[in-house]
Amino acid sequence: MVAVDLKGVNQVRKRLADGSMRLYFYHRGSGKRLTGVPGSAQFLADYQDAERVAPRDAGTVGGLMREYQASPKFVSKPLSTRREYKRMLTHLETKFGTMPVVALASPRVIGKFIDYQEEIGRDRPRDADNRLTILSAVFSYALRKGRIARNPLKGFERLYDGDRSDKI
């Protein structure tokens, strides 16, 4: 067997009913299960098949988020910033990940984002603003790459006012 370092393989450890542990491997982009052990002919064949399959989130806002997270612009950010962005992008992906990219061209889509901002902003206005700021950064990146025609969140109004001049 030849040792090969394949990118985008997710390893999952599961406890079986008899108490033993078993490893399963998945292709991250497509979510397809890879059979065999890493390095085997079957494993490599499954990996190549999974690479040919279109990513499960192609053409969605979730796909734009993943593309942004793989970009040099994101990777060059400090580790703490990347962690915070990923945390917020996880929340955003659960809400908007399946939204088709073509929906971003509609002038009414901003209402969906503002409704989400107001929903989160009732308890945490700064967090709500930060989430939309990060989503706007994703859309700006997608705009520069030609994936979308416009950034629907450009210049959105913030809920949180950080004026602390009265404290000084």
Side-chain angles (χ1 to χ4, degrees):
M1 243 188 297
V2 177
V4 179
D5 183 28
L6 300 174
K7 301 286 185 198
V9 175
N10 189 22
Q11 178 178 318
V12 177
R13 191 179 310 261
K14 290 288 184 180
R15 184 173 305 278
L16 301 178
D18 65 359
S20 64
M21 295 297 283
R22 185 150 193 199
L23 283 176
Y24 294 98
F25 299 94
Y26 296 90
H27 184 261
R28 287 186 187 184
S30 65
K32 183 179 177 185
R33 182 164 170 226
L34 307 174
T35 57
V37 293
S40 69
Q42 181 62 43
F43 188 87
L44 293 174
D46 285 353
Y47 181 82
Q48 289 174 343
D49 286 343
E51 282 288 306
R52 279 188 237 120
V53 174
R56 63 176 171 231
D57 54 6
T60 64
V61 172
L64 297 178
M65 291 178 189
R66 292 195 198 293
E67 187 176 352
Y68 175 72
Q69 290 180 64
S71 73
K73 184 167 181 71
F74 181 81
V75 174
S76 66
K77 294 187 182 302
L79 180 61
S80 61
T81 303
R82 287 194 314 254
R83 279 189 191 135
E84 183 64 12
Y85 276 34
K86 283 182 180 182
R87 182 183 72 80
M88 295 215 181
L89 285 169
T90 301
H91 293 294
L92 290 165
E93 189 171 6
T94 58
K95 185 70 175 180
F96 301 112
T98 58
M99 179 184 282
V101 170
V102 294
L104 298 176
S106 171
R108 295 183 306 175
V109 75
I110 186 67
K112 298 288 183 193
F113 296 124
I114 299 303
D115 289 345
Y116 176 73
Q117 179 193 31
E118 290 171 351
E119 176 186 325
I120 301 298
R122 285 188 199 107
D123 301 323
R124 302 178 313 272
R126 187 166 182 223
D127 192 41
D129 289 348
N130 288 341
R131 288 183 191 190
L132 285 195
T133 299
I134 293 167
L135 190 56
S136 180
V138 169
F139 292 154
S140 293
Y141 179 76
L143 180 64
R144 281 195 310 276
K145 296 281 284 189
R147 308 284 190 265
I148 58 176
R150 69 180 187 91
N151 179 351
L153 290 176
K154 184 176 182 182
F156 73 91
E157 187 177 331
R158 300 180 186 284
L159 299 176
Y160 180 76
D161 182 20
D163 183 20
R164 297 176 50 92
S165 59
D166 60 323
K167 307 261 192 271
I168 298 175

